[in-house]
Amino acid sequence: MLKFINKHKGLSIVIGLSLILFIIMLIIFISLVFSRGKGAYGNRLDGIENVKLEKSFLDSIEEELTNDTGITKAKIRLQGKIVYIDMEAEEDTSVDTAKELSSKILEKFSKDELEFYDICYMIKWTKENENKEKEITVIEGTKHPLKENISWIK
């Protein structure tokens, strides 16, 4: 065996380095594929059990939105640390009125909930233009846990 290694030093070095590289790649692959029991969110949801949002609480906000004038349909869903609030506004509801209503929703959440969850709004209007074609307008807003205000995107 030593005679072969001494006779083919270059080949022996290449084979040895290839073997080491293969072992390193195998270790990396195994550590990436076989996670250590972490969920899809990793440790990003740590502390969520202390600031839990109940389905009944979200349903009550949804019901209050649909009973409010200016909103025809509302849907609230919770995904991880993000609360998605989708609303369909009546044709004659102004953008400012919809934004004001969104700010009122924030008052329903406690201080701890506002500091933990992202809250994302999507408000949609369907209007008919002069050609009797439906025209859809959408604005989106986001409230980050570290911020006080809603940032709006048109």
Side-chain angles (χ1 to χ4, degrees), residues 49-85:
E49 59 277 346
N50 301 331
V51 193
K52 203 88 164 145
L53 286 177
E54 299 296 326
K55 175 115 175 85
S56 60
F57 171 70
L58 296 176
D59 289 342
S60 69
I61 293 175
E62 192 174 302
E63 185 178 323
E64 189 174 323
L65 279 171
T66 53
N67 291 340
D68 200 354
T69 58
I71 302 297
T72 57
K73 193 158 87 171
K75 183 178 182 199
I76 300 177
R77 66 184 171 91
L78 180 64
Q79 185 174 344
K81 286 177 65 172
I82 305 172
V83 179
Y84 292 99
I85 302 173

PDB file of all heavy atoms in Angstrom, residues 49-85:
ATOM      1  N   GLU A  49     -46.767  31.789  23.397  1.00  0.00           N
ATOM      2  CA  GLU A  49     -47.719  31.247  24.368  1.00  0.00           C
ATOM      3  C   GLU A  49     -48.066  32.276  25.448  1.00  0.00           C
ATOM      4  O   GLU A  49     -49.110  32.185  26.084  1.00  0.00           O
ATOM      5  CB  GLU A  49     -47.198  29.952  25.006  1.00  0.00           C
ATOM      6  CG  GLU A  49     -45.882  30.086  25.736  1.00  0.00           C
ATOM      7  CD  GLU A  49     -44.651  29.999  24.836  1.00  0.00           C
ATOM      8  OE1 GLU A  49     -44.758  29.573  23.677  1.00  0.00           O
ATOM      9  OE2 GLU A  49     -43.578  30.377  25.305  1.00  0.00           O
ATOM     10  N   ASN A  50     -47.222  33.276  25.643  1.00  0.00           N
ATOM     11  CA  ASN A  50     -47.492  34.330  26.629  1.00  0.00           C
ATOM     12  C   ASN A  50     -48.416  35.416  26.082  1.00  0.00           C
ATOM     13  O   ASN A  50     -49.010  36.167  26.854  1.00  0.00           O
ATOM     14  CB  ASN A  50     -46.183  34.981  27.090  1.00  0.00           C
ATOM     15  CG  ASN A  50     -45.234  33.989  27.714  1.00  0.00           C
ATOM     16  OD1 ASN A  50     -45.661  32.990  28.287  1.00  0.00           O
ATOM     17  ND2 ASN A  50     -43.952  34.233  27.589  1.00  0.00           N
ATOM     18  N   VAL A  51     -48.483  35.536  24.764  1.00  0.00           N
ATOM     19  CA  VAL A  51     -49.285  36.577  24.114  1.00  0.00           C
ATOM     20  C   VAL A  51     -50.194  35.912  23.081  1.00  0.00           C
ATOM     21  O   VAL A  51     -50.168  36.240  21.907  1.00  0.00           O
ATOM     22  CB  VAL A  51     -48.366  37.623  23.425  1.00  0.00           C
ATOM     23  CG1 VAL A  51     -49.150  38.844  23.024  1.00  0.00           C
ATOM     24  CG2 VAL A  51     -47.203  38.016  24.298  1.00  0.00           C
ATOM     25  N   LYS A  52     -50.991  34.983  23.515  1.00  0.00           N
ATOM     26  CA  LYS A  52     -51.851  34.200  22.616  1.00  0.00           C
ATOM     27  C   LYS A  52     -53.076  35.011  22.199  1.00  0.00           C
ATOM     28  O   LYS A  52     -53.696  35.674  23.020  1.00  0.00           O
ATOM     29  CB  LYS A  52     -52.294  32.949  23.376  1.00  0.00           C
ATOM     30  CG  LYS A  52     -52.701  31.817  22.508  1.00  0.00           C
ATOM     31  CD  LYS A  52     -51.502  30.995  22.176  1.00  0.00           C
ATOM     32  CE  LYS A  52     -51.888  29.651  21.642  1.00  0.00           C
ATOM     33  NZ  LYS A  52     -50.974  29.213  20.640  1.00  0.00           N
ATOM     34  N   LEU A  53     -53.401  34.981  20.913  1.00  0.00           N
ATOM     35  CA  LEU A  53     -54.630  35.591  20.411  1.00  0.00           C
ATOM     36  C   LEU A  53     -55.667  34.483  20.229  1.00  0.00           C
ATOM     37  O   LEU A  53     -55.434  33.534  19.485  1.00  0.00           O
ATOM     38  CB  LEU A  53     -54.388  36.289  19.077  1.00  0.00           C
ATOM     39  CG  LEU A  53     -53.625  37.603  19.122  1.00  0.00           C
ATOM     40  CD1 LEU A  53     -53.396  38.134  17.709  1.00  0.00           C
ATOM     41  CD2 LEU A  53     -54.339  38.623  19.951  1.00  0.00           C
ATOM     42  N   GLU A  54     -56.765  34.619  20.906  1.00  0.00           N
ATOM     43  CA  GLU A  54     -57.823  33.614  20.824  1.00  0.00           C
ATOM     44  C   GLU A  54     -58.639  33.797  19.554  1.00  0.00           C
ATOM     45  O   GLU A  54     -58.843  34.920  19.091  1.00  0.00           O
ATOM     46  CB  GLU A  54     -58.743  33.707  22.047  1.00  0.00           C
ATOM     47  CG  GLU A  54     -58.044  33.456  23.365  1.00  0.00           C
ATOM     48  CD  GLU A  54     -57.498  32.049  23.490  1.00  0.00           C
ATOM     49  OE1 GLU A  54     -58.127  31.107  22.953  1.00  0.00           O
ATOM     50  OE2 GLU A  54     -56.447  31.889  24.126  1.00  0.00           O
ATOM     51  N   LYS A  55     -59.112  32.703  19.007  1.00  0.00           N
ATOM     52  CA  LYS A  55     -59.954  32.744  17.800  1.00  0.00           C
ATOM     53  C   LYS A  55     -61.220  33.549  18.053  1.00  0.00           C
ATOM     54  O   LYS A  55     -61.667  34.299  17.183  1.00  0.00           O
ATOM     55  CB  LYS A  55     -60.292  31.316  17.365  1.00  0.00           C
ATOM     56  CG  LYS A  55     -61.244  31.227  16.197  1.00  0.00           C
ATOM     57  CD  LYS A  55     -60.586  30.624  15.012  1.00  0.00           C
ATOM     58  CE  LYS A  55     -61.543  30.408  13.867  1.00  0.00           C
ATOM     59  NZ  LYS A  55     -61.725  31.553  13.033  1.00  0.00           N
ATOM     60  N   SER A  56     -61.788  33.427  19.250  1.00  0.00           N
ATOM     61  CA  SER A  56     -63.013  34.168  19.575  1.00  0.00           C
ATOM     62  C   SER A  56     -62.771  35.685  19.557  1.00  0.00           C
ATOM     63  O   SER A  56     -63.622  36.451  19.122  1.00  0.00           O
ATOM     64  CB  SER A  56     -63.549  33.734  20.934  1.00  0.00           C
ATOM     65  OG  SER A  56     -62.589  33.976  21.939  1.00  0.00           O
ATOM     66  N   PHE A  57     -61.579  36.098  19.994  1.00  0.00           N
ATOM     67  CA  PHE A  57     -61.224  37.522  19.962  1.00  0.00           C
ATOM     68  C   PHE A  57     -61.139  38.020  18.516  1.00  0.00           C
ATOM     69  O   PHE A  57     -61.684  39.073  18.170  1.00  0.00           O
ATOM     70  CB  PHE A  57     -59.889  37.735  20.690  1.00  0.00           C
ATOM     71  CG  PHE A  57     -59.313  39.114  20.531  1.00  0.00           C
ATOM     72  CD1 PHE A  57     -59.914  40.209  21.147  1.00  0.00           C
ATOM     73  CD2 PHE A  57     -58.170  39.327  19.777  1.00  0.00           C
ATOM     74  CE1 PHE A  57     -59.389  41.478  21.006  1.00  0.00           C
ATOM     75  CE2 PHE A  57     -57.635  40.587  19.630  1.00  0.00           C
ATOM     76  CZ  PHE A  57     -58.248  41.667  20.247  1.00  0.00           C
ATOM     77  N   LEU A  58     -60.477  37.253  17.658  1.00  0.00           N
ATOM     78  CA  LEU A  58     -60.353  37.640  16.251  1.00  0.00           C
ATOM     79  C   LEU A  58     -61.709  37.619  15.554  1.00  0.00           C
ATOM     80  O   LEU A  58     -62.011  38.484  14.735  1.00  0.00           O
ATOM     81  CB  LEU A  58     -59.359  36.717  15.541  1.00  0.00           C
ATOM     82  CG  LEU A  58     -57.913  36.784  16.050  1.00  0.00           C
ATOM     83  CD1 LEU A  58     -57.059  35.750  15.336  1.00  0.00           C
ATOM     84  CD2 LEU A  58     -57.329  38.167  15.898  1.00  0.00           C
ATOM     85  N   ASP A  59     -62.551  36.634  15.904  1.00  0.00           N
ATOM     86  CA  ASP A  59     -63.896  36.560  15.322  1.00  0.00           C
ATOM     87  C   ASP A  59     -64.743  37.762  15.735  1.00  0.00           C
ATOM     88  O   ASP A  59     -65.538  38.273  14.941  1.00  0.00           O
ATOM     89  CB  ASP A  59     -64.596  35.268  15.724  1.00  0.00           C
ATOM     90  CG  ASP A  59     -64.002  34.045  15.040  1.00  0.00           C
ATOM     91  OD1 ASP A  59     -63.303  34.218  14.020  1.00  0.00           O
ATOM     92  OD2 ASP A  59     -64.240  32.924  15.527  1.00  0.00           O
ATOM     93  N   SER A  60     -64.588  38.218  16.979  1.00  0.00           N
ATOM     94  CA  SER A  60     -65.364  39.378  17.435  1.00  0.00           C
ATOM     95  C   SER A  60     -64.948  40.643  16.687  1.00  0.00           C
ATOM     96  O   SER A  60     -65.794  41.474  16.351  1.00  0.00           O
ATOM     97  CB  SER A  60     -65.217  39.578  18.942  1.00  0.00           C
ATOM     98  OG  SER A  60     -63.909  39.995  19.275  1.00  0.00           O
ATOM     99  N   ILE A  61     -63.660  40.775  16.403  1.00  0.00           N
ATOM    100  CA  ILE A  61     -63.205  41.933  15.617  1.00  0.00           C
ATOM    101  C   ILE A  61     -63.755  41.839  14.202  1.00  0.00           C
ATOM    102  O   ILE A  61     -64.225  42.832  13.638  1.00  0.00           O
ATOM    103  CB  ILE A  61     -61.667  42.013  15.597  1.00  0.00           C
ATOM    104  CG1 ILE A  61     -61.139  42.317  16.993  1.00  0.00           C
ATOM    105  CG2 ILE A  61     -61.188  43.074  14.617  1.00  0.00           C
ATOM    106  CD1 ILE A  61     -59.626  42.298  17.105  1.00  0.00           C
ATOM    107  N   GLU A  62     -63.723  40.643  13.629  1.00  0.00           N
ATOM    108  CA  GLU A  62     -64.247  40.423  12.274  1.00  0.00           C
ATOM    109  C   GLU A  62     -65.736  40.774  12.214  1.00  0.00           C
ATOM    110  O   GLU A  62     -66.193  41.446  11.279  1.00  0.00           O
ATOM    111  CB  GLU A  62     -64.015  38.968  11.891  1.00  0.00           C
ATOM    112  CG  GLU A  62     -64.237  38.642  10.450  1.00  0.00           C
ATOM    113  CD  GLU A  62     -63.837  37.210  10.152  1.00  0.00           C
ATOM    114  OE1 GLU A  62     -62.676  36.842  10.392  1.00  0.00           O
ATOM    115  OE2 GLU A  62     -64.717  36.476   9.660  1.00  0.00           O
ATOM    116  N   GLU A  63     -66.495  40.341  13.210  1.00  0.00           N
ATOM    117  CA  GLU A  63     -67.930  40.624  13.255  1.00  0.00           C
ATOM    118  C   GLU A  63     -68.190  42.123  13.416  1.00  0.00           C
ATOM    119  O   GLU A  63     -69.070  42.682  12.772  1.00  0.00           O
ATOM    120  CB  GLU A  63     -68.570  39.852  14.413  1.00  0.00           C
ATOM    121  CG  GLU A  63     -70.072  39.980  14.468  1.00  0.00           C
ATOM    122  CD  GLU A  63     -70.664  39.161  15.603  1.00  0.00           C
ATOM    123  OE1 GLU A  63     -70.142  38.059  15.868  1.00  0.00           O
ATOM    124  OE2 GLU A  63     -71.624  39.635  16.217  1.00  0.00           O
ATOM    125  N   GLU A  64     -67.408  42.759  14.263  1.00  0.00           N
ATOM    126  CA  GLU A  64     -67.563  44.198  14.463  1.00  0.00           C
ATOM    127  C   GLU A  64     -67.261  44.973  13.177  1.00  0.00           C
ATOM    128  O   GLU A  64     -67.914  45.971  12.870  1.00  0.00           O
ATOM    129  CB  GLU A  64     -66.627  44.651  15.588  1.00  0.00           C
ATOM    130  CG  GLU A  64     -66.862  46.076  16.024  1.00  0.00           C
ATOM    131  CD  GLU A  64     -66.012  46.439  17.229  1.00  0.00           C
ATOM    132  OE1 GLU A  64     -65.808  45.586  18.103  1.00  0.00           O
ATOM    133  OE2 GLU A  64     -65.558  47.598  17.276  1.00  0.00           O
ATOM    134  N   LEU A  65     -66.276  44.505  12.415  1.00  0.00           N
ATOM    135  CA  LEU A  65     -65.947  45.161  11.148  1.00  0.00           C
ATOM    136  C   LEU A  65     -67.091  45.048  10.151  1.00  0.00           C
ATOM    137  O   LEU A  65     -67.417  46.008   9.458  1.00  0.00           O
ATOM    138  CB  LEU A  65     -64.682  44.548  10.540  1.00  0.00           C
ATOM    139  CG  LEU A  65     -63.358  45.022  11.093  1.00  0.00           C
ATOM    140  CD1 LEU A  65     -62.227  44.172  10.543  1.00  0.00           C
ATOM    141  CD2 LEU A  65     -63.138  46.476  10.771  1.00  0.00           C
ATOM    142  N   THR A  66     -67.688  43.870  10.052  1.00  0.00           N
ATOM    143  CA  THR A  66     -68.764  43.688   9.075  1.00  0.00           C
ATOM    144  C   THR A  66     -70.025  44.434   9.496  1.00  0.00           C
ATOM    145  O   THR A  66     -70.832  44.807   8.639  1.00  0.00           O
ATOM    146  CB  THR A  66     -69.080  42.196   8.858  1.00  0.00           C
ATOM    147  OG1 THR A  66     -69.325  41.579  10.110  1.00  0.00           O
ATOM    148  CG2 THR A  66     -67.931  41.510   8.155  1.00  0.00           C
ATOM    149  N   ASN A  67     -70.212  44.639  10.802  1.00  0.00           N
ATOM    150  CA  ASN A  67     -71.366  45.409  11.269  1.00  0.00           C
ATOM    151  C   ASN A  67     -71.141  46.909  11.097  1.00  0.00           C
ATOM    152  O   ASN A  67     -72.093  47.674  11.076  1.00  0.00           O
ATOM    153  CB  ASN A  67     -71.660  45.111  12.745  1.00  0.00           C
ATOM    154  CG  ASN A  67     -72.170  43.698  12.931  1.00  0.00           C
ATOM    155  OD1 ASN A  67     -72.648  43.071  11.996  1.00  0.00           O
ATOM    156  ND2 ASN A  67     -72.046  43.192  14.135  1.00  0.00           N
ATOM    157  N   ASP A  68     -69.890  47.312  10.979  1.00  0.00           N
ATOM    158  CA  ASP A  68     -69.563  48.725  10.833  1.00  0.00           C
ATOM    159  C   ASP A  68     -69.939  49.191   9.426  1.00  0.00           C
ATOM    160  O   ASP A  68     -69.884  48.437   8.471  1.00  0.00           O
ATOM    161  CB  ASP A  68     -68.060  48.928  11.066  1.00  0.00           C
ATOM    162  CG  ASP A  68     -67.719  50.357  11.406  1.00  0.00           C
ATOM    163  OD1 ASP A  68     -68.617  51.207  11.344  1.00  0.00           O
ATOM    164  OD2 ASP A  68     -66.555  50.626  11.735  1.00  0.00           O
ATOM    165  N   THR A  69     -70.335  50.446   9.324  1.00  0.00           N
ATOM    166  CA  THR A  69     -70.689  50.971   8.004  1.00  0.00           C
ATOM    167  C   THR A  69     -69.420  51.169   7.189  1.00  0.00           C
ATOM    168  O   THR A  69     -68.373  51.551   7.706  1.00  0.00           O
ATOM    169  CB  THR A  69     -71.412  52.317   8.133  1.00  0.00           C
ATOM    170  OG1 THR A  69     -70.572  53.220   8.837  1.00  0.00           O
ATOM    171  CG2 THR A  69     -72.726  52.162   8.858  1.00  0.00           C
ATOM    172  N   GLY A  70     -69.519  50.886   5.941  1.00  0.00           N
ATOM    173  CA  GLY A  70     -68.388  51.075   5.041  1.00  0.00           C
ATOM    174  C   GLY A  70     -67.655  49.792   4.685  1.00  0.00           C
ATOM    175  O   GLY A  70     -66.924  49.756   3.712  1.00  0.00           O
ATOM    176  N   ILE A  71     -67.835  48.722   5.448  1.00  0.00           N
ATOM    177  CA  ILE A  71     -67.154  47.461   5.177  1.00  0.00           C
ATOM    178  C   ILE A  71     -68.206  46.389   4.884  1.00  0.00           C
ATOM    179  O   ILE A  71     -69.111  46.161   5.670  1.00  0.00           O
ATOM    180  CB  ILE A  71     -66.283  47.016   6.381  1.00  0.00           C
ATOM    181  CG1 ILE A  71     -65.247  48.075   6.739  1.00  0.00           C
ATOM    182  CG2 ILE A  71     -65.625  45.671   6.115  1.00  0.00           C
ATOM    183  CD1 ILE A  71     -64.230  48.362   5.647  1.00  0.00           C
ATOM    184  N   THR A  72     -68.094  45.754   3.726  1.00  0.00           N
ATOM    185  CA  THR A  72     -69.057  44.722   3.350  1.00  0.00           C
ATOM    186  C   THR A  72     -68.616  43.328   3.772  1.00  0.00           C
ATOM    187  O   THR A  72     -69.437  42.483   4.091  1.00  0.00           O
ATOM    188  CB  THR A  72     -69.290  44.723   1.829  1.00  0.00           C
ATOM    189  OG1 THR A  72     -68.040  44.527   1.170  1.00  0.00           O
ATOM    190  CG2 THR A  72     -69.922  46.019   1.376  1.00  0.00           C
ATOM    191  N   LYS A  73     -67.306  43.090   3.766  1.00  0.00           N
ATOM    192  CA  LYS A  73     -66.797  41.762   4.095  1.00  0.00           C
ATOM    193  C   LYS A  73     -65.445  41.918   4.790  1.00  0.00           C
ATOM    194  O   LYS A  73     -64.642  42.759   4.404  1.00  0.00           O
ATOM    195  CB  LYS A  73     -66.645  40.947   2.816  1.00  0.00           C
ATOM    196  CG  LYS A  73     -66.424  39.469   3.042  1.00  0.00           C
ATOM    197  CD  LYS A  73     -66.798  38.623   1.843  1.00  0.00           C
ATOM    198  CE  LYS A  73     -65.713  38.457   0.835  1.00  0.00           C
ATOM    199  NZ  LYS A  73     -65.959  37.505  -0.220  1.00  0.00           N
ATOM    200  N   ALA A  74     -65.220  41.126   5.823  1.00  0.00           N
ATOM    201  CA  ALA A  74     -63.941  41.158   6.530  1.00  0.00           C
ATOM    202  C   ALA A  74     -63.519  39.731   6.865  1.00  0.00           C
ATOM    203  O   ALA A  74     -64.347  38.875   7.152  1.00  0.00           O
ATOM    204  CB  ALA A  74     -64.060  41.978   7.808  1.00  0.00           C
ATOM    205  N   LYS A  75     -62.210  39.500   6.821  1.00  0.00           N
ATOM    206  CA  LYS A  75     -61.663  38.200   7.164  1.00  0.00           C
ATOM    207  C   LYS A  75     -60.360  38.428   7.917  1.00  0.00           C
ATOM    208  O   LYS A  75     -59.508  39.187   7.469  1.00  0.00           O
ATOM    209  CB  LYS A  75     -61.416  37.364   5.919  1.00  0.00           C
ATOM    210  CG  LYS A  75     -60.922  35.979   6.244  1.00  0.00           C
ATOM    211  CD  LYS A  75     -60.732  35.145   5.021  1.00  0.00           C
ATOM    212  CE  LYS A  75     -60.279  33.771   5.484  1.00  0.00           C
ATOM    213  NZ  LYS A  75     -59.668  33.005   4.472  1.00  0.00           N
ATOM    214  N   ILE A  76     -60.219  37.776   9.060  1.00  0.00           N
ATOM    215  CA  ILE A  76     -59.007  37.894   9.867  1.00  0.00           C
ATOM    216  C   ILE A  76     -58.421  36.504  10.043  1.00  0.00           C
ATOM    217  O   ILE A  76     -59.129  35.564  10.389  1.00  0.00           O
ATOM    218  CB  ILE A  76     -59.303  38.518  11.238  1.00  0.00           C
ATOM    219  CG1 ILE A  76     -59.886  39.914  11.063  1.00  0.00           C
ATOM    220  CG2 ILE A  76     -58.033  38.576  12.079  1.00  0.00           C
ATOM    221  CD1 ILE A  76     -60.284  40.587  12.347  1.00  0.00           C
ATOM    222  N   ARG A  77     -57.123  36.399   9.788  1.00  0.00           N
ATOM    223  CA  ARG A  77     -56.462  35.114  10.017  1.00  0.00           C
ATOM    224  C   ARG A  77     -55.111  35.360  10.681  1.00  0.00           C
ATOM    225  O   ARG A  77     -54.489  36.395  10.496  1.00  0.00           O
ATOM    226  CB  ARG A  77     -56.305  34.315   8.727  1.00  0.00           C
ATOM    227  CG  ARG A  77     -55.400  34.912   7.709  1.00  0.00           C
ATOM    228  CD  ARG A  77     -55.402  34.081   6.418  1.00  0.00           C
ATOM    229  NE  ARG A  77     -54.702  34.761   5.364  1.00  0.00           N
ATOM    230  CZ  ARG A  77     -53.413  34.631   5.109  1.00  0.00           C
ATOM    231  NH1 ARG A  77     -52.675  33.833   5.844  1.00  0.00           N
ATOM    232  NH2 ARG A  77     -52.854  35.294   4.131  1.00  0.00           N
ATOM    233  N   LEU A  78     -54.712  34.397  11.460  1.00  0.00           N
ATOM    234  CA  LEU A  78     -53.457  34.467  12.200  1.00  0.00           C
ATOM    235  C   LEU A  78     -52.515  33.428  11.632  1.00  0.00           C
ATOM    236  O   LEU A  78     -52.862  32.253  11.516  1.00  0.00           O
ATOM    237  CB  LEU A  78     -53.721  34.200  13.683  1.00  0.00           C
ATOM    238  CG  LEU A  78     -52.529  34.224  14.620  1.00  0.00           C
ATOM    239  CD1 LEU A  78     -51.901  35.608  14.665  1.00  0.00           C
ATOM    240  CD2 LEU A  78     -52.966  33.810  16.011  1.00  0.00           C
ATOM    241  N   GLN A  79     -51.317  33.862  11.267  1.00  0.00           N
ATOM    242  CA  GLN A  79     -50.316  32.940  10.737  1.00  0.00           C
ATOM    243  C   GLN A  79     -48.995  33.268  11.425  1.00  0.00           C
ATOM    244  O   GLN A  79     -48.365  34.268  11.117  1.00  0.00           O
ATOM    245  CB  GLN A  79     -50.194  33.077   9.227  1.00  0.00           C
ATOM    246  CG  GLN A  79     -49.258  32.078   8.612  1.00  0.00           C
ATOM    247  CD  GLN A  79     -49.270  32.145   7.095  1.00  0.00           C
ATOM    248  OE1 GLN A  79     -50.167  32.722   6.491  1.00  0.00           O
ATOM    249  NE2 GLN A  79     -48.277  31.561   6.487  1.00  0.00           N
ATOM    250  N   GLY A  80     -48.606  32.429  12.365  1.00  0.00           N
ATOM    251  CA  GLY A  80     -47.383  32.687  13.118  1.00  0.00           C
ATOM    252  C   GLY A  80     -47.532  33.936  13.965  1.00  0.00           C
ATOM    253  O   GLY A  80     -48.400  34.009  14.828  1.00  0.00           O
ATOM    254  N   LYS A  81     -46.684  34.933  13.699  1.00  0.00           N
ATOM    255  CA  LYS A  81     -46.731  36.203  14.428  1.00  0.00           C
ATOM    256  C   LYS A  81     -47.390  37.305  13.610  1.00  0.00           C
ATOM    257  O   LYS A  81     -47.217  38.477  13.904  1.00  0.00           O
ATOM    258  CB  LYS A  81     -45.306  36.641  14.785  1.00  0.00           C
ATOM    259  CG  LYS A  81     -44.676  35.847  15.895  1.00  0.00           C
ATOM    260  CD  LYS A  81     -43.259  36.276  16.163  1.00  0.00           C
ATOM    261  CE  LYS A  81     -43.180  37.680  16.667  1.00  0.00           C
ATOM    262  NZ  LYS A  81     -41.839  38.052  17.109  1.00  0.00           N
ATOM    263  N   ILE A  82     -48.118  36.948  12.573  1.00  0.00           N
ATOM    264  CA  ILE A  82     -48.724  37.952  11.699  1.00  0.00           C
ATOM    265  C   ILE A  82     -50.243  37.797  11.721  1.00  0.00           C
ATOM    266  O   ILE A  82     -50.772  36.705  11.528  1.00  0.00           O
ATOM    267  CB  ILE A  82     -48.209  37.815  10.250  1.00  0.00           C
ATOM    268  CG1 ILE A  82     -46.684  37.873  10.226  1.00  0.00           C
ATOM    269  CG2 ILE A  82     -48.799  38.920   9.383  1.00  0.00           C
ATOM    270  CD1 ILE A  82     -46.073  37.558   8.888  1.00  0.00           C
ATOM    271  N   VAL A  83     -50.927  38.914  11.961  1.00  0.00           N
ATOM    272  CA  VAL A  83     -52.388  38.957  11.900  1.00  0.00           C
ATOM    273  C   VAL A  83     -52.750  39.607  10.570  1.00  0.00           C
ATOM    274  O   VAL A  83     -52.389  40.762  10.320  1.00  0.00           O
ATOM    275  CB  VAL A  83     -52.981  39.780  13.065  1.00  0.00           C
ATOM    276  CG1 VAL A  83     -54.495  39.835  12.952  1.00  0.00           C
ATOM    277  CG2 VAL A  83     -52.564  39.206  14.402  1.00  0.00           C
ATOM    278  N   TYR A  84     -53.417  38.869   9.694  1.00  0.00           N
ATOM    279  CA  TYR A  84     -53.840  39.392   8.402  1.00  0.00           C
ATOM    280  C   TYR A  84     -55.304  39.821   8.500  1.00  0.00           C
ATOM    281  O   TYR A  84     -56.155  39.018   8.863  1.00  0.00           O
ATOM    282  CB  TYR A  84     -53.705  38.327   7.312  1.00  0.00           C
ATOM    283  CG  TYR A  84     -52.273  37.956   7.003  1.00  0.00           C
ATOM    284  CD1 TYR A  84     -51.695  36.821   7.541  1.00  0.00           C
ATOM    285  CD2 TYR A  84     -51.503  38.762   6.170  1.00  0.00           C
ATOM    286  CE1 TYR A  84     -50.383  36.481   7.263  1.00  0.00           C
ATOM    287  CE2 TYR A  84     -50.190  38.426   5.880  1.00  0.00           C
ATOM    288  CZ  TYR A  84     -49.636  37.284   6.427  1.00  0.00           C
ATOM    289  OH  TYR A  84     -48.337  36.958   6.146  1.00  0.00           O
ATOM    290  N   ILE A  85     -55.581  41.073   8.154  1.00  0.00           N
ATOM    291  CA  ILE A  85     -56.938  41.598   8.178  1.00  0.00           C
ATOM    292  C   ILE A  85     -57.280  42.037   6.753  1.00  0.00           C
ATOM    293  O   ILE A  85     -56.721  43.001   6.243  1.00  0.00           O
ATOM    294  CB  ILE A  85     -57.068  42.778   9.162  1.00  0.00           C
ATOM    295  CG1 ILE A  85     -56.649  42.329  10.563  1.00  0.00           C
ATOM    296  CG2 ILE A  85     -58.489  43.321   9.158  1.00  0.00           C
ATOM    297  CD1 ILE A  85     -56.574  43.442  11.578  1.00  0.00           C
TER     298      ILE A  85
END
